Amino acid sequence: MSDSDMVAARLGYQHARELAARDAGHRAELERLLLLCADTLDDFDRLLGDGPERDAEAYRRGVRRIAERFETALRGEGLEPIGVTGERADPATHHVVEVRPSASAKEDEVVQVLQRGYGHDGRVLRAARVVVAVADGERAGGSGRLTGNDTEGEQE
């Protein structure tokens, strides 16, 4: 075996070890996140075991508490919720599914969040599905100013 063959073999072996270590790290991270989800499932199992029949308000509080703990845990992992009523719609982070005339809200202001969006590490994983305001008297869906999602193609 030549020296260049030995160097290539060593590099191949080193690369394989690094790849195996990276895969093991990904697997460990995935297992940690799955256990976080399993803890949440356990919370739901306990809550469902009691059922809403005993005390409906306590049941709602329990569901709310589980949701808050789960959201806190996911935020700790870097999940960033997107979509808040009152903010300006942004085509990069919002999918406008409806526009409504409004005398009180500003143009392109989010007046209702139908489904929160989520981001991670500066990337949008899912855009928020929102309803935004247009000037009172303006036709819904036709201004072309709201997002790049408009399909009617009207220009100002």
Side-chain angles (χ1 to χ4, degrees):
M1 189 177 244
S2 71
D3 285 344
S4 63
D5 290 339
M6 292 288 284
V7 168
R10 263 187 262 135
L11 286 175
Y13 176 71
Q14 181 181 359
H15 178 68
R17 285 184 58 184
E18 290 170 358
L19 187 59
R22 187 172 52 227
D23 286 348
H26 288 294
R27 193 170 31 260
E29 183 67 13
L30 176 61
E31 289 171 359
R32 190 179 63 73
L33 290 172
L34 289 172
L35 286 173
L36 184 147
C37 293
D39 288 343
T40 301
L41 290 173
D42 291 343
D43 289 343
F44 278 116
D45 285 342
R46 282 188 291 278
L47 183 66
L48 291 170
D50 289 340
E53 298 82 23
R54 284 188 23 207
D55 182 356
E57 185 54 37
Y59 188 78
R60 278 192 288 280
R61 282 192 311 270
V63 170
R64 191 175 306 116
R65 211 172 20 255
I66 293 170
E68 288 169 356
R69 282 184 34 201
F70 191 54
E71 183 173 344
T72 299
L74 291 176
R75 282 180 185 237
E77 297 300 321
L79 189 70
E80 305 155 356
I82 298 171
V84 177
T85 301
E87 69 187 356
R88 183 173 169 81
D90 178 355
T93 57
H94 297 81
H95 175 81
V96 177
V97 296
E98 184 182 338
V99 293
R100 292 185 189 151
S102 174
S104 59
K106 297 177 187 145
E107 187 80 13
D108 297 346
E109 180 180 323
V110 174
V111 293
Q112 184 180 2
V113 178
L114 301 175
Q115 181 181 45
R116 279 195 293 181
Y118 294 97
H120 183 262
D121 284 339
R123 292 183 46 224
V124 175
L125 301 175
R126 180 177 79 192
R129 296 173 55 83
V130 297
V131 177
V132 298
V134 293
D136 203 11
E138 203 172 311
R139 212 175 98 233
S143 73
R145 288 190 302 253
L146 297 173
T147 70
N149 298 334
D150 292 335
T151 57
E152 293 187 27
E154 291 183 17
Q155 300 295 320
E156 291 186 39

